[in-house]
């Protein structure tokens, strides 16, 4: 079993013993998503820590989007719960890049793409190919794309 998955299970047991309903339900849903990912496809397999991390990131993103939707719909109580679940999941993810760190990586990638002959808004694909491996798991795709667009626009 992967170490991250076993940590999730240990934390689930601790939350159940402490009767922490929010944490236990969040971890249960996340472990279910991991299991679902493991059995999808032609044969069952064990996920690596990186793959487990991607599943957790996907679940955390779902919580953020749901919280936003509930807040817009005027359901503040449900929005707060979704935010709290997202914060629990964020604890299992690597620390996200700050805006300054992200902009520095994007700036160097834009310079690298310009050196290769790609310029202007058409260089988006080339820059993203350079940036994505550097920020994998450390910044959400939408944030990265927005930073690249902003940098290419001037």
């Amino acid at each position: 079993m992967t170490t991250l998955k076993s940590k999730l299970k240990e934390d689930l047991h601790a939350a159940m013993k402490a009767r922490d309903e929010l944490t236990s339900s969040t971890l249960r849903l996340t472990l279910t998503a991991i299991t679902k990912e493991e059995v999808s496809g032609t044969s069952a397999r064990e996920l690596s820590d990186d793959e487990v991390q991607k599943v957790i990131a996907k679940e955390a993103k779902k919580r953020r989007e749901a919280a936003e939707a509930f807040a817009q719909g005027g359901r503040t109580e449900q929005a707060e719960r979704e935010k709290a679940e997202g914060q629990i999941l964020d604890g299992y993810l690597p620390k996200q890049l700050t805006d300054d760190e992200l902009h520095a990586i994007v700036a160097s990638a834009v310079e690298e793409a310009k050196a290769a002959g790609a310029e202007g808004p058409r260089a988006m694909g080339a820059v993203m190919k350079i940036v994505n491996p550097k920020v994998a798991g450390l910044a959400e795709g939408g944030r990265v794309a927005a930073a690249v667009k902003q940098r290419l626009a001037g």
Side-chain angles (χ1 to χ4, degrees):
M1 186 184 308
T2 61
T3 56
L4 187 55
K5 185 177 173 185
S6 58
K7 171 130 177 63
L8 285 168
K9 285 186 176 184
E10 290 168 13
D11 290 351
L12 172 61
H13 291 293
M16 287 167 51
K17 283 183 180 176
R19 298 194 185 280
D20 182 351
E21 191 274 329
L22 177 69
T23 304
S24 60
S25 68
T26 302
L27 294 180
R28 269 196 193 104
L29 287 169
T30 304
L31 284 166
T32 301
I34 291 168
T35 304
K36 186 177 175 184
E37 187 69 28
E38 286 177 334
V39 297
S40 68
T42 55
S43 62
R45 62 191 173 89
E46 189 79 23
L47 294 181
S48 69
D49 271 353
D50 287 342
E51 292 170 317
V52 169
Q53 214 168 44
K54 285 180 184 173
V55 172
I56 294 171
K58 195 181 339 175
E59 290 296 309
K61 183 178 179 186
K62 282 182 191 175
R63 299 309 189 290
R64 282 192 297 276
E65 290 172 350
E68 209 173 280
F70 283 128
Q72 288 174 355
R75 296 180 61 189
T76 55
E77 194 174 300
Q78 191 67 30
E80 290 303 315
R81 180 175 172 91
E82 293 291 336
K83 280 182 189 172
E85 288 180 3
Q87 289 171 345
I88 290 168
L89 293 176
D90 285 343
Y92 296 96
L93 296 172
K95 186 177 171 291
Q96 296 289 298
L97 292 173
T98 64
D99 286 340
D100 292 338
E101 292 168 331
L102 180 61
H103 289 300
I105 292 170
V106 167
S108 69
V110 168
E111 293 307 316
E112 196 175 321
K114 279 184 182 177
E119 277 193 57
R122 291 193 187 112
M124 180 84 177
V127 174
M128 289 299 285
K129 282 181 186 174
I130 297 168
V131 172
N132 277 335
K134 295 178 183 177
V135 299
L138 301 175
E140 213 172 79
R143 249 183 86 204
V144 175
V148 170
K149 279 181 188 172
Q150 180 184 5
R151 183 68 185 204
L152 288 174

